[in-house]
Amino acid sequence: MRSAITQSVILPAAASSLFDMYLDPQVHESITGVPVTISSIVGSDFKAFGGVLTGTILAVVRSSLIVQSWRSVKFEPADPDSTLILSFQPEGANGRIDLVHLDVPDHDYNGVVEGWEKFYWAPWRAFLTRKVHR
């Protein structure tokens, strides 16, 4: 059976800005605190957290959708890549990111679920709060 992680987060920025932040390597690094390789070019490589996360950009719909193949170093060599789908929608003056993360192996499932909040959503909120208060 396929695994599916679903999460939604509302952040204090326009959805189109959140989309751009995720795909901009300098801003992405400012959010997570570690260098990242990422772009909006389909077929380009993704690498974050010193290679802990890797993948490929599979599809981009400007300002609204990013699809990536995605894997963690905790995946076993025989585990296929998972698929990450990030959808960006307006939510009043804020933006909402709807995440669907498919086919994360059972042995890494809980870590990935918790990792999204710990390594992305919480730092992103903090980044945006710092930005507003400058």
Side-chain angles (χ1 to χ4, degrees):
M1 188 161 103
R2 296 183 82 173
S3 67
I5 297 168
T6 57
Q7 297 182 1
S8 291
V9 62
I10 297 172
L11 297 170
S16 60
S17 294
L18 296 172
F19 174 93
D20 291 338
M21 288 178 209
Y22 186 84
L23 289 176
D24 181 307
Q26 284 93 10
V27 177
H28 197 129
E29 176 180 339
S30 294
I31 292 166
T32 63
V34 287
V36 65
T37 300
I38 194 166
S39 86
S40 62
I41 299 168
V42 173
S44 64
D45 291 335
F46 166 73
K47 184 169 131 181
F49 298 99
V52 170
L53 305 177
T54 58
T56 303
I57 302 296
L58 299 176
V60 174
V61 176
R62 176 64 40 206
S63 298
S64 63
L65 182 72
I66 299 167
V67 182
Q68 295 175 249
S69 70
W70 191 99
R71 72 182 297 114
S72 159
V73 294
K74 293 186 179 178
F75 285 24
E76 300 295 334
D79 292 331
D81 289 355
S82 63
T83 301
L84 174 64
I85 304 163
L86 299 171
S87 175
F88 299 79
Q89 307 294 324
E91 184 78 24
N94 299 310
R96 185 180 80 233
I97 302 171
D98 295 314
L99 170 147
V100 178
H101 199 159
L102 301 169
D103 300 326
V104 173
D106 289 344
H107 59 84
D108 199 22
Y109 185 89
N110 290 335
V112 172
V113 168
E114 294 166 5
W116 279 108
E117 177 61 31
K118 181 177 180 180
F119 298 111
Y120 274 96
W121 310 143
W124 211 336
R125 275 187 215 95
F127 171 81
L128 292 168
T129 301
R130 286 190 308 272
K131 218 174 149 181
V132 167
H133 288 82
R134 285 186 187 175

